[in-house]
Amino acid sequence: MSQTVPDKVEELLTGDPVAAHLATCADGRPHAAPVWFRYEPAEGDERPVIEVMTTGKKLANIRDNPRVALSIQKSEAGHPEWTVTVRGTATVVEDEAENEQANRRINRRYGADPDDWSENTLVRIAVGSASSQTY
């Protein structure tokens, strides 16, 4: 278990695939949009990482300001069961092979075709903090 991510939160992040909302900010203007994600627990002295594939405004904002937040929620008929909020620092990965592998990992998690959204770019978020609430 990572010091920044409690075991219970790791279970939520690696459980049923749910969408997250990635919040970025550039030029003093916040932007939030849905993304699929994949959580990678910490190993050794490393921090846990969340991988997302993205493009457009989110990617441009991350290039300008790497501080991001993810809001993740599981709900049933509009009633939340749990929420997780993650804050961290994002790194844009330009390596084509790493992008392809990460895209396939994320698509496999969500049951999508392996090459869907292959034009998107990998962003790795080093988790700084994570909190959760159950309802």
Side-chain angles (χ1 to χ4, degrees):
M1 178 190 93
S2 161
Q3 292 178 354
T4 57
V5 181
D7 285 336
K8 179 180 177 178
V9 175
E10 285 193 342
E11 289 174 22
L12 297 173
L13 294 175
T14 57
D16 294 336
V18 295
H21 282 87
L22 176 64
T24 62
C25 188
D27 299 324
R29 296 186 53 95
H31 176 75
V35 293
W36 285 352
F37 71 94
R38 183 180 157 282
Y39 176 78
E40 183 68 37
E43 290 189 20
D45 293 336
E46 301 271 326
R47 288 172 37 184
V49 171
I50 293 179
E51 295 180 325
V52 300
M53 299 296 295
T54 193
T55 191
K57 182 72 171 165
K58 295 182 299 292
L59 186 60
N61 285 354
I62 289 167
R63 290 183 193 282
D64 288 342
N65 178 358
R67 294 177 302 215
V68 301
L70 280 168
S71 174
I72 306 151
Q73 173 181 307
K74 183 173 183 183
S75 61
E76 181 68 38
H79 301 283
E81 294 177 20
W82 56 262
T83 61
V84 171
T85 301
V86 174
R87 291 180 181 86
T89 304
T91 301
V92 176
V93 179
E94 303 290 353
D95 182 89
E96 194 172 313
E98 285 188 59
N99 272 264
E100 181 180 328
Q101 292 169 5
N103 191 57
R104 288 176 175 229
R105 285 191 297 266
I106 293 168
N107 285 347
R108 183 172 38 253
R109 174 169 163 72
Y110 288 87
D113 288 335
D115 296 320
D116 284 352
W117 301 284
S118 60
E119 70 281 1
N120 289 0
T121 300
L122 172 60
V123 172
R124 287 196 176 114
I125 301 165
V127 176
S129 66
S131 60
S132 69
Q133 183 170 347
T134 55
Y135 299 92

